[in-house]
Amino acid sequence: MEKSEQLTNEPVSRLILRLSMPAIFSLLCNSINMAIDRVFISKGVGTLALSAVTVAFGLYLIMQACSQLISAGASSTAAIQLGKGNQEKAEKIVGNAFILSFLLAILLSAIGLLCLDPLLKLYGADSENILYAHDYAGVMFAGAICFVLSQSMNSIVRGMGYAKRSLINFLSSIVINLILDAIFVLVFKWGVKGAAFATVIGNCVCAVLAIQFLCSKQTNIKLRLANLKPDKEIIKTILSIGVSGFIAQFALSIVTLVFNHVCR
């Protein structure tokens, strides 16, 4: 049975159970990656470097908020069109989400790298840990395209009913991050930069798997080159739906900022 038929014909209670559990695990995977970095950094570098990663976590949440702006809006909008049987419109949404993610990632990288030191100081970095924080956050912002694309494309995969496939993509990211953290931090002694590189590469693998799936014959809704042309109405719809997720995630970043200053 096609996914669109399953979403139309199966009982709602069964769909909620079947689709929600992989989705919940996928969301948990986002937090696990940085937790893995912290474990290896504390063991391989020290507590000062660990405090720097805690500072950079606030900036990581900003990246996640920007990703939510697209991923939540695009997955919901594409799912609605899929439910209506409008495959052509759904594919246009996927294409617009891809190009919007790409452009947003470039903007994030540019702003983040240009304003890195002021942002780190704003989030609580001091003279002792700012070099570590700079190394970690700098790599993360440079690899923003991997993070944003992995979030947006995987959310679309999940929104089309392929929750298990989305979970597999995220789990692949965690496994890659875990292996590379051990190699880069403990073996090569690359410190916080090594941990950040491991996270970026893990997200890159996740993004590639999601894009590969959207271009394959396994799904009826595909990422096509012809649909990469920006459509104002589609972009407006994506952003209007995704703004609530953006605000919620950005609020967590502000909480982190306040917490870092209160606990200094």
Side-chain angles (χ1 to χ4, degrees), residues 59-231:
L59 301 182
Y60 175 86
L61 289 174
I62 292 178
M63 290 175 57
Q64 200 166 49
C66 293
S67 299
Q68 281 287 322
L69 183 63
I70 300 173
S71 61
S75 60
S76 299
T77 310
I80 291 170
Q81 295 303 321
L82 185 62
K84 291 179 178 179
N86 194 341
Q87 181 176 330
E88 183 180 352
K89 184 68 175 290
E91 289 188 344
K92 286 184 178 180
I93 292 168
V94 174
N96 273 257
F98 179 88
I99 195 65
L100 194 59
S101 299
F102 185 83
L103 295 174
L104 178 62
I106 292 175
L107 182 63
L108 270 174
S109 293
I111 295 175
L113 293 173
L114 288 173
C115 305
L116 190 54
D117 284 344
L119 284 172
L120 289 172
K121 290 176 181 177
L122 176 65
Y123 275 81
D126 55 32
S127 58
E128 293 182 342
N129 63 13
I130 192 167
L131 291 179
Y132 287 121
H134 189 281
D135 286 345
Y136 188 86
V139 174
M140 293 294 290
F141 273 118
I145 188 169
C146 299
F147 181 80
V148 176
L149 282 176
S150 71
Q151 295 292 309
S152 60
M153 295 297 101
N154 251 309
S155 290
I156 290 172
V157 171
R158 185 168 62 244
M160 292 192 306
Y162 298 95
K164 290 182 180 178
R165 176 55 193 253
S166 175
L167 176 59
I168 290 171
N169 293 345
F170 276 122
L171 288 177
S172 300
S173 169
I174 290 176
V175 172
I176 293 295
N177 187 28
L178 183 63
I179 294 171
L180 293 182
D181 264 333
I183 295 172
F184 292 166
V185 178
L186 301 181
V187 179
F188 292 169
K189 305 295 182 183
W190 287 357
V192 293
K193 274 189 177 181
F197 276 123
T199 301
V200 169
I201 293 171
N203 278 305
C204 183
V205 170
C206 184
V208 169
L209 289 173
I211 293 169
Q212 181 273 329
F213 179 77
L214 290 170
C215 294
S216 71
K217 296 180 180 180
Q218 295 175 271
T219 174
N220 292 328
I221 309 301
K222 293 180 173 57
L223 176 61
R224 302 181 190 275
L225 189 63
N227 292 323
L228 297 183
K229 183 179 179 181
D231 183 299

